[in-house]
Amino acid sequence: MTTLGVVFRPQLAPEKLRPLVRAADAAGLEELWLWEDCFLESGVAAASAALAWSERLHVGVGLLPVPLRNVALTSMEAATLLRLFPGRVSLSVGHGVQDWMGQVGARPASPLTLLREYLSAMRALLRGERVTVDGQYVHLDSVALDWPPLEAPPVYAGGVGPRTLRLTGEAADGTILDASFSAEGVRRARQLVDEGRESAGRTGEGHHKVVVYLLAATGPGAAGRLHAELAREGKESVPGLGVAGDAGAVAKAVQGLVEAGADTVVLQPTADEPDPEGFVRFAAEEVRGLVP
């Protein structure tokens, strides 16, 4: 069955998170996703609060920028969340926005090398292994978590370009695709991920999940808000991006992404969504029932 989620965008002030989490939990939303965007909000701090404020809501962080974070710290934080809230957390990592990484003096010369080394070390640490590695970017000397997760979790990685998408297949357990992917884009991305899995000999490891964000708007002025956001991103001329309309229209767009290879679709409201809590209820109470 397709999993449906909503993202809490960090353009909303942190204090807006609690009422939205309560609304999501009460409405039966399956997943709430958070971003760690510079210089807005911490993904891990927000995830911890959201999990504590809810009873059954699954919380994902997509994604944590690896140049900004030592892999041991990210693994410690991940393990803590996974033990505090077993079965309710998904974490993903990625390059981050390179201009932002440059602003804090953390821009790597080879983002692909860093992400590959990071994924290898993080997955090993979360399996409870003792890790020694002296890579180009990742350096660990006999590091092991004292409180690893009780069960090794999947580690997702985000990607846009072909080489990164192949890498997510090679080295991650799942892939995060942002809202710049149409259904056709998701189909091509899934092919690249599968190529990476095949090159790494991982095709027998089980299903590699793909999480896709879908820019969505509903209610009065929905089409205008959607077009304005796409225009701000310079993507208003890209066919098949985003959806504006009622629950039926949104569900149809979700199904198109699923048919292209998405396992989870996360509805991404526009940055100027006038009723974030209402958007959560719309997703959980109106769209969910129309998505197989």
Side-chain angles (χ1 to χ4, degrees), residues 172-264:
D173 303 302
T175 299
I176 309 290
L177 302 178
D178 67 18
S180 67
F181 285 81
S182 64
E184 182 55 36
V186 172
R187 191 171 289 108
R188 291 195 299 270
R190 173 66 87 170
Q191 291 171 350
L192 291 165
V193 169
D194 289 343
E195 288 174 13
R197 282 169 56 81
E198 186 174 358
S199 70
R202 300 186 65 196
T203 54
E205 291 188 13
H207 185 63
H208 182 104
K209 289 188 176 181
V210 172
V211 178
V212 183
Y213 289 98
L214 172 64
L215 185 62
T218 191
R225 286 188 285 111
L226 178 69
H227 179 79
E229 178 135 336
L230 290 172
R232 284 193 295 271
E233 298 293 327
K235 295 171 182 172
E236 70 272 24
S237 61
V238 180
L241 288 188
V243 58
D246 61 11
V250 175
K252 183 177 179 180
V254 170
Q255 189 59 29
L257 296 177
V258 171
E259 291 170 357
D263 299 287
T264 296

Side-chain angles (χ1 to χ4, degrees), residues 54-203:
S54 58
E55 297 295 330
R56 45 151 300 281
L57 187 64
H58 189 101
V59 175
V61 181
L63 48 77
L64 299 169
V66 299
L68 197 62
R69 297 174 143 271
N70 184 282
V71 68
L73 174 63
T74 301
S75 300
M76 288 165 56
E77 291 182 323
T80 300
L81 284 176
L82 288 157
R83 290 188 71 118
L84 287 171
F85 306 100
R88 294 179 55 204
V89 186
S90 294
L91 294 171
S92 65
V93 296
H95 298 311
V97 177
Q98 293 307 294
D99 287 347
W100 292 341
M101 299 302 102
Q103 282 183 267
V104 297
R107 185 169 188 164
S110 177
L112 281 168
T113 300
L114 169 56
L115 185 57
R116 179 178 283 108
E117 293 179 358
Y118 203 102
L119 283 166
S120 176
M122 183 173 175
R123 292 175 70 226
L125 288 168
L126 293 177
R127 289 193 298 265
E129 298 176 15
R130 184 169 297 277
V131 181
T132 296
V133 61
D134 187 21
Q136 183 174 339
Y137 295 101
V138 175
H139 307 277
L140 298 174
D141 181 8
S142 190
V143 174
L145 300 176
D146 286 277
W147 296 102
L150 298 176
E151 184 176 329
V155 177
Y156 294 79
V160 175
R163 291 190 297 167
T164 303
L165 289 170
R166 289 192 185 95
L167 176 59
T168 68
E170 293 172 20
D173 303 302
T175 299
I176 309 290
L177 302 178
D178 67 18
S180 67
F181 285 81
S182 64
E184 182 55 36
V186 172
R187 191 171 289 108
R188 291 195 299 270
R190 173 66 87 170
Q191 291 171 350
L192 291 165
V193 169
D194 289 343
E195 288 174 13
R197 282 169 56 81
E198 186 174 358
S199 70
R202 300 186 65 196
T203 54

